Amino acid sequence: MNEPLKKTRVIDDISLAAAALNEGLLVAFPTETVYGLGVDATNPAAVARLFAAKGRPSDNPLIVHLADFDQWPKAASEISESAGRLMRAFSPGPITVVTRKNPKIVDAVTAGLSSVGIRIPNHQLAQSLLKECGLPIAAPSANVSGRPSCTTWQSVLEDMNGRIDFVLKGDICRIGIESTVVDCSCSPPRLLRAGAITREQILEHIPDLISWQAQDPDDLIPSPGLRHPHYQPRAVVVLVQSLYELTALPSDDLRHAAYAGVVSPMADRLLETFPQLSRLMMHARFATIEIYMREFYEFLREADRKGAQRIFLQLAPDSGLGSALRDRQTRAAG
Ligand code: TXA
Ligand code: MG
């Protein structure tokens, strides 16, 4: 079962993908956030193979995906009041709620925890696949563990060719970063991972929401994923406030560097005043935070493909959607 495969097939046949999941095979598929790597969450051998394919540490639990909210008993044994409120408000959509696990879900999926994260993706192909296979599907992001997530099927293949069975082909993911994760198994509920459903939006439904923060290193970590490196390209990532911070760099450094930020009149003026900035090997300025977010992981991957030594990222503001992007930027910088 653990032997490497010869070839991964890129397909657009949903019935074939659903049948493969029922046979315990590994199928990557698009969602509105990032591509997921799906497996039957009730099949222990298949789940073990998924952890191996990703190189995922066994203490980092997976999210279980369902076609609609009525299916929650397939993954959970109970839906807390807060979990129900968030699911009704934001599902299908880019949110994961952590609640009490159903024993039918393999223990390895939840890394031995008694809780499970559940999510209903808002994406037509993902929905059809989940409906047709009829299973609770455990699906981490479809990248090699530690690398930037994948928002295109080509990037999935770049990381996973020969390690998984199928890639269900879709367009570039609309949102571009992973779902918001809220632990609703405790009171008050805790925000474990920022995402496109913002803290401000959640507070409208759960006014006592708190953020998880380590008080001391011995604290039990509620989202074990936070312990491991994430989203890191091979190039060194440097966070900057603006393009101005690059103007002091020698031309040779610029030639091997990439920059991503947002459009601004100040950036336009800097480019006029410091012509050496045009030496950057990659230079992207996005019109909005939404677009920056959608293009973010692919930018990191493209910089790696081009052999960039350093990637300079203009930090997103710490509010609204910006908080989610800023979290990924900070973790990409290690
Ligand atoms: O948007 C997404 O959520 C994507 C798509 C494919 O749905 N999936 C995704 O999965 O980002 P992954 O495995 O890359 O991240 C799952 C996160 C981790 O930070 C993990 O620690 C947390 O969810 N998580 C999962 N189950 C949990 C649980 N029972 N308790 C606490 N945290 C949990
Ligand atoms: Mg991931």
Side-chain angles (χ1 to χ4, degrees):
M1 198 81 184
N2 272 331
E3 270 156 42
L5 295 163
K6 291 254 158 43
K7 199 158 181 270
T8 298
R9 279 177 65 194
V10 178
I11 56 171
D12 49 21
D13 179 346
I14 289 175
S15 300
L16 178 58
L21 287 169
N22 272 287
E23 285 168 33
L25 299 180
L26 305 184
V27 181
F29 61 96
T31 80
E32 79 278 34
T33 58
V34 298
Y35 273 73
L37 177 52
V39 74
D40 175 0
T42 64
N43 179 334
V47 170
R49 209 178 135 223
L50 179 143
F51 273 87
K54 254 189 82 88
R56 174 131 170 157
S58 60
D59 63 353
N60 191 3
L62 310 177
I63 294 169
V64 177
H65 296 66
L66 301 169
D68 58 59
F69 186 44
D70 292 342
Q71 291 194 352
W72 69 258
K74 290 190 180 197
S77 63
E78 150 197 309
I79 289 290
S80 64
E81 219 265 315
S82 54
R85 236 186 292 160
L86 288 182
M87 282 314 232
R88 274 187 290 276
F90 300 115
S91 271
I95 192 160
T96 296
V97 301
V98 173
T99 185
R100 191 179 289 272
K101 171 182 177 291
N102 178 325
K104 277 191 219 143
I105 300 296
V106 171
D107 284 335
V109 165
T110 59
L113 298 173
S114 56
S115 63
V116 62
I118 58 176
R119 164 161 139 74
I120 317 320
N122 186 6
H123 187 285
Q124 194 250 316
L125 287 178
Q127 287 264 337
S128 306
L129 177 64
L130 289 163
K131 272 203 189 91
E132 185 155 345
C133 79
L135 293 165
I137 294 295
S141 50
N143 50 287
V144 165
S145 209
R147 294 268 301 150
S149 302
C150 299
T151 53
T152 64
W153 65 265
Q154 292 93 337
S155 288
V156 175
L157 213 52
E158 180 176 65
D159 271 25
M160 290 296 168
N161 197 9
R163 299 176 182 232
I164 65 174
D165 303 289
F166 293 101
V167 179
L168 182 62
K169 189 172 167 182
D171 293 332
I172 181 169
C173 301
R174 182 168 54 78
I175 292 176
I177 65 163
E178 306 80 358
S179 62
T180 307
V181 180
V182 184
D183 187 353
C184 294
S185 69
C186 52
S187 182
R190 291 182 290 202
L191 181 62
L192 298 182
R193 181 172 76 181
I197 304 293
T198 64
R199 151 194 301 282
E200 293 83 349
Q201 282 175 291
I202 295 170
L203 279 170
E204 283 174 25
H205 300 269
I206 303 194
D208 58 345
L209 179 79
I210 55 169
S211 291
W212 173 75
Q213 242 143 20
Q215 302 304 327
D216 75 71
D218 295 332
D219 264 6
L220 190 66
I221 295 184
S223 191
L226 298 173
R227 256 197 300 253
H228 302 287
H230 266 89
Y231 320 124
Q232 293 175 358
R234 282 184 287 277
V236 173
V237 173
V238 183
L239 305 177
V240 296
Q241 296 299 329
S242 92
L243 194 55
Y244 183 71
E245 289 171 51
L246 278 67
T247 60
L249 293 176
S251 301
D252 223 43
D253 286 14
L254 288 171
R255 249 195 291 277
H256 299 104
Y259 171 84
V262 288
V263 168
S264 77
M266 180 186 153
D268 292 342
R269 278 200 301 280
L270 283 168
L271 285 164
E272 281 167 29
T273 319
F274 299 95
Q276 73 268 32
L277 289 174
S278 65
R279 302 223 166 88
L280 280 162
M281 76 188 298
M282 273 176 79
H283 180 174
R285 280 178 298 142
F286 303 113
T288 63
I289 289 286
E290 280 93 335
I291 300 175
Y292 195 168
M293 203 152 105
R294 192 182 66 213
E295 304 292 333
F296 178 64
Y297 287 130
E298 201 49 37
F299 184 87
L300 299 182
R301 284 177 169 272
E302 186 59 21
D304 269 356
R305 288 177 200 125
K306 292 200 161 132
Q309 286 166 4
R310 283 196 280 177
I311 302 174
F312 294 91
L313 297 175
Q314 184 177 30
L315 252 183
D318 192 11
S319 62
L321 279 179
S323 303
L325 179 56
R326 191 182 170 103
D327 168 68
R328 305 312 189 273
Q329 293 176 318
T330 309
R331 293 167 69 184

